Amino acid sequence: MTGTTQALHDLPAHALLRAYRDRSLSPVEVMHDLLAHVQRWEPALHATYLLRPEAALARARESEARWLRGEPAGLLDGVPATVKDNIATRGDPTPVGTAAMPQVAAPLDAPPAARLREAGAILFAKTTMPDYGMLSSGLSSLHGNTFNPWDPDKTPGGSSAGAGAAAAAGYGPLHVGTDIGGSIRLPAGWCGIFGLKPSLGRVPIDPPYTGRCAGPMTRSVADAALMMQVLSLPDARDSMGLPHQEIAWHSFDMDPAQVRGLRIGLLLDAGCGLPLQPRVRAVVEQAAAWLESAGAHIERIEPWLSRDMLDGLDHFWRMRSHVEIQSLTDAQRRVILPFIREWADSAAPLTATQLFVASQQSHLLRTATVRATAAYDYVLSPVAPITAFPAHLPSPTNDPLRPLEHIAFTVPYNMSEQPAASVPCGHDGQLPIGVQIAGRRFDDLGVLRLSRVLEQLRPPQPAWPQPVQSGQDRAQTASATPA
């Protein structure tokens, strides 16, 4: 097979598949290039877990043989992909980012990993996450720290930290993250990639949990739509899964003229949380202006998230983590990030009444979100009120008693089960800024289509970051267990 002068690791999935089909590229060529690229980047980013080059090359050779026979295994045969640490892969431990978890091999692939393998994708690595997925940063007692490719002094966000960093750095085209309060959209926004949190149950996941979704993290809407063809296939293990629906994911490529007449809400005040940085506000307002110029009707929306709602979610999640951590041995508890331990232990004094009131806030937020957004086809807002914060911090506030101040724009849609995406639309210096598009429940394709419109209306984006030179110094930092 003949090669190409273009960097193979930068090719989108649909381009790779086209090249495999016409035999201008081989999955083996692509995997060799990708692994060399990851080797150059990884000491500085520390985005991967269970990176297995030899196994990846073996799968690539198998894929190459299938393509030569004209018998690809599935829609994604030979395309490199990663899944997040907390998505089980058969035979591997699933430590959910913490050194406290025993290293027990998973008996089966979780649904997202199973669907990717069935489609022929090459799962060459898993990606990092913070302890229990309860931080919007890359800090982990197991993985060390993960850094942002645009500025390694900044966080990539979390909890899908490694997936966000890997996608921006060119670790292949396809990555899967999970999201219970913003964990796909926040790293997507801060790493300058596209991320979709689907409607709850659209992508089967195991174990299911209120608000918890798995979804694609890619460099383009096109690759996310391609992934959704595979990830949305049914799996009986998800007791919260939606009935399978034939969705024309391939029709994502919406012409900007088709937004004419759409009613789009513009939310610039979340109701609580961190104040909106001026540059972030300007990028969201510019995105709204692009859509308005294409014929959409833009209307300002008043905030609906309250302090009681946000604190209720926080207190309920604290207690959930507190109960889980209390079941561990003293030795296991000691290795958990101190920030997470302090956050979880702060739930111990909560009374039964306080915990009940906290538990009801998710439903109150659900109904408030649906009510506030029902009149609109879509809602446009910031993903986060700030750009990426320093990588050494577990959260923007660095305060375990104020840990959720940055998720006020994202978490409502987890509770309301509505699809929401992060689309890169601007920069503050070298730091990317994402714009969030939320749709009505089940309108995942519509969110992809409007996201594609923004891709077309925005100006050309900066070139993707390249491997930094100070890899050895960064590697020493990344491999150290955070204090």
Side-chain angles (χ1 to χ4, degrees), residues 369-444:
T369 304
V370 171
R371 186 184 310 115
T373 61
Y376 303 97
D377 296 299
Y378 302 97
V379 174
L380 202 68
S381 76
V383 175
I386 61 173
T387 53
F389 57 93
H392 68 277
L393 296 179
S395 77
T397 62
N398 197 28
D399 182 354
L401 301 183
R402 294 175 58 243
L404 305 186
E405 301 300 299
H406 56 292
I407 71 169
F409 285 105
T410 52
V411 73
Y413 303 112
N414 293 84
M415 299 304 107
S416 68
E417 306 184 11
Q418 295 171 244
S422 174
V423 185
C425 286
H427 277 68
D428 183 11
Q430 66 188 108
L431 294 176
I433 297 173
V435 170
Q436 182 171 240
I437 296 173
R440 293 170 179 162
R441 193 178 178 210
F442 311 133
D443 189 20
D444 304 73

Side-chain angles (χ1 to χ4, degrees), residues 29 60 75 102 204 254 286-287 351:
E29 291 178 274
L75 184 65
M254 182 175 176
Q286 179 61 70
T351 67

Side-chain angles (χ1 to χ4, degrees), residues 312 315-316 319 347-361:
H315 294 160
F316 186 78
M319 182 58 78
L350 290 176
T351 67
T353 298
Q354 289 172 320
L355 184 58
F356 173 77
V357 170
S359 73
Q360 299 307 296
Q361 298 306 310

Side-chain angles (χ1 to χ4, degrees), residues 105-303:
L108 296 170
D109 284 336
R115 298 296 86 77
L116 289 173
R117 285 199 216 268
E118 290 162 3
I122 301 173
L123 301 185
F124 70 94
K126 300 185 78 170
T127 50
T128 58
M129 63 182 287
D131 288 52
Y132 298 103
M134 294 311 297
L135 292 176
S136 295
S137 75
L139 283 168
S140 163
S141 60
L142 177 67
H143 302 307
N145 201 354
T146 301
F147 302 91
N148 192 317
W150 295 95
D151 181 352
D153 290 326
K154 302 295 185 182
T155 183
S159 64
S160 303
Y171 288 22
L174 306 181
H175 308 271
V176 179
T178 63
D179 190 317
I180 199 172
S183 291
I184 286 174
R185 290 156 290 160
L186 290 165
W190 288 333
C191 290
I193 64 167
F194 179 76
L196 172 68
K197 181 207 79 68
S199 299
L200 184 72
R202 178 70 71 203
V203 172
I205 195 168
D206 184 40
Y209 192 83
T210 301
R212 183 174 184 245
C213 300
M217 301 179 69
T218 61
R219 285 182 168 186
S220 68
V221 174
D223 275 355
L226 182 66
M227 289 185 82
M228 287 300 291
Q229 294 185 53
V230 171
L231 294 175
S232 63
L233 294 174
D235 195 300
R237 289 175 287 174
D238 188 346
S239 59
M240 302 173 76
L242 297 174
H244 180 61
Q245 181 180 358
E246 292 295 334
I247 296 174
W249 298 110
H250 61 276
S251 66
F252 70 90
D253 197 6
M254 182 175 176
D255 189 289
Q258 293 177 274
V259 307
R260 181 168 299 280
L262 287 181
R263 191 177 179 194
I264 298 177
L266 175 61
L267 181 68
L268 294 172
D269 179 358
C272 57
L274 293 174
L276 186 61
Q277 289 179 347
R279 180 56 185 154
V280 175
R281 181 188 185 101
V283 167
V284 178
E285 289 178 329
Q286 179 61 70
W290 294 332
L291 293 173
E292 188 170 41
S293 69
H297 301 297
I298 307 295
E299 302 176 27
R300 286 287 299 270
I301 302 182
E302 294 301 314

